[in-house]
């Protein structure tokens, strides 16, 4: 007998598994260096777009304020329909009639401000100050975004190094535990030595989990900064290496 509810559960489970598999298969992998990260951040981050838009708006306000100093030209057109003053006697209808006509007029007026009591110059000065402020804001936004992208890039590098470090530590402690266990089996070391090795391995595994979480957070943070999907796998071309200084 066909079980509808059971079949529906199977279909839902299958769809969920397919979705997870598709996400893992189509997850994007992006290779980039520091310059790539900075350029992507400057191109896609909303903070930069807002700063650029505010500067353009203040520039338009300054141009409008300056335009108030020039000649202003107004054009006007008028049309009307009216009758003549003297009515005419119509002998056929034995009544007075009034002739109607159309009238049109055009006018162009040019004006220029001569004296505004300092209001016009004050408006222009205020618009200049606003424009300079937003221009500096745009520059500041670019500088801050470069720093943010650089910090995010090196934070991911550092997180990757820490993850590798704790992974090496776990690998070494696993091998050490095997050796201690083998020595205990033949009676060379005491049980406490095995327990001590197990505790050290457990601590290292916990640190590795924390390091992996820190790496995932740093990767998602850099993805957000450069405007890519948060689940994008980033492959950094640079590496942090120790160079002895003589």
């Amino acid at each position: 007998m066909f079980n509808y509810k059971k079949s529906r559960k199977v279909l839902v489970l299958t769809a969920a598994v397919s979705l997870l598999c598709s996400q893992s298969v189509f997850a994007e992998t992006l290779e980039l260096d520091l310059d790539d990260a900075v350029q992507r951040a400057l191109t896609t981050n909303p903070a930069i777009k807002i700063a650029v838009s505010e500067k353009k708006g203040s520039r338009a306000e300054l141009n409008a304020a300056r335009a108030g100093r020039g000649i202003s030209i107004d054009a006007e057109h008028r049309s009307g329909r009216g009758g003549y003053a003297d009515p005419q006697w119509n002998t056929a209808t034995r009544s007075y009639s009034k002739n109607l006509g159309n009238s049109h007029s055009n006018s162009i007026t040019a004006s220029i401000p001569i004296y505004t009591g300092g209001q016009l110059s004050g408006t222009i000065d205020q618009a200049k100050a606003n424009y300079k402020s937003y221009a500096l804001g745009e520059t500041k936004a670019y500088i801050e975004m470069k720093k943010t992208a650089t910090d995010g890039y090196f934070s991911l590098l550092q997180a990757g190094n820490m993850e590798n470090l704790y992974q090496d530590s776990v690998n070494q402690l696993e091998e050490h535990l095997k050796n201690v266990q083998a020595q205990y089996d033949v009676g060379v070391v005491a049980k406490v030595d095995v327990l001590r090795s197990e505790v050290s391995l457990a601590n290292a595994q916990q640190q590795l989990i924390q390091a992996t979480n820190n790496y995932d957070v740093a990767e998602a943070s850099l993805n957000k900064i450069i405007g890519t999907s948060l689940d994008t796998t980033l492959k950094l071309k640079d590496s942090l290496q120790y160079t002895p200084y003589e």
Side-chain angles (χ1 to χ4, degrees):
M1 182 177 179
F2 181 75
N3 191 325
Y4 174 77
K5 292 184 178 180
K6 185 176 181 181
S7 299
R8 183 178 180 183
K9 291 181 179 179
V10 173
L11 289 175
V12 172
L13 180 60
T14 303
V17 173
S18 301
L19 179 61
L20 292 176
C21 293
S22 63
Q23 289 178 345
S24 61
V25 170
F26 294 103
E28 182 183 2
T29 300
L30 178 64
E31 292 188 6
L32 74 163
D33 55 18
L34 179 58
D35 290 337
D36 295 334
V38 171
Q39 290 302 319
R40 283 177 174 269
L42 295 179
T43 303
T44 63
N45 199 278
I48 298 297
K49 295 181 179 180
I50 292 174
V52 172
S53 177
E54 289 177 341
K55 179 185 174 182
K56 289 182 178 179
S58 64
R59 182 65 183 180
E61 292 178 356
L62 176 58
N63 291 336
R66 286 174 172 171
R69 222 179 238 174
I71 298 176
S72 176
I73 299 178
D74 296 324
E76 183 180 6
H77 172 77
R78 291 183 179 180
S79 298
R81 183 178 179 85
Y84 292 104
D86 297 331
Q88 304 294 325
W89 174 258
N90 191 326
T91 57
T93 60
R94 302 183 64 82
S95 63
Y96 286 97
S97 63
K98 184 182 292 186
N99 295 326
L100 299 177
N102 297 327
S103 62
H104 304 279
S105 64
N106 296 309
S107 65
I108 298 177
T109 304
S111 62
I112 184 171
I114 298 176
Y115 176 73
T116 61
Q119 181 179 1
L120 182 57
S121 59
T123 302
I124 295 175
D125 291 340
Q126 181 63 43
K128 284 182 180 179
N130 289 339
Y131 175 74
K132 290 180 180 179
S133 176
Y134 284 114
L136 291 174
E138 182 189 46
T139 302
K140 180 183 177 183
Y142 273 98
I143 295 174
E144 289 180 345
M145 188 51 58
K146 287 181 180 180
K147 181 181 183 302
T148 300
T150 302
D151 290 344
Y153 186 87
F154 281 102
S155 293
L156 184 58
L157 279 179
Q158 183 180 11
N161 279 4
M162 296 303 297
E163 185 180 25
N164 294 334
L165 175 65
Y166 286 117
Q167 183 63 64
D168 291 341
S169 178
V170 168
N171 295 339
Q172 293 177 7
L173 289 173
E174 286 176 344
E175 292 297 324
H176 179 70
L177 178 59
K178 291 179 182 178
N179 293 333
V180 174
Q181 183 66 47
Q183 293 177 4
Y184 172 76
D185 292 339
V186 297
V188 177
V189 298
K191 181 63 175 178
V192 67
D193 295 323
V194 177
L195 296 176
R196 188 180 298 111
S197 298
E198 290 175 346
V199 170
S200 298
L201 176 59
N203 291 335
Q205 290 173 336
Q206 184 177 5
Q207 291 172 332
L208 175 59
I209 293 174
Q210 184 64 42
T212 302
N213 291 338
N214 292 340
Y215 181 86
D216 293 340
V217 171
E219 187 177 48
S221 177
L222 184 56
N223 276 323
K224 182 179 180 180
I225 293 171
I226 64 177
T228 54
S229 176
L230 296 182
D231 61 349
T232 302
T233 300
L234 299 178
K235 300 293 184 182
L236 305 186
K237 298 179 182 179
D238 300 304
S239 61
L240 296 176
Q241 297 180 354
Y242 168 71
T243 303
Y245 176 74
E246 300 295 339

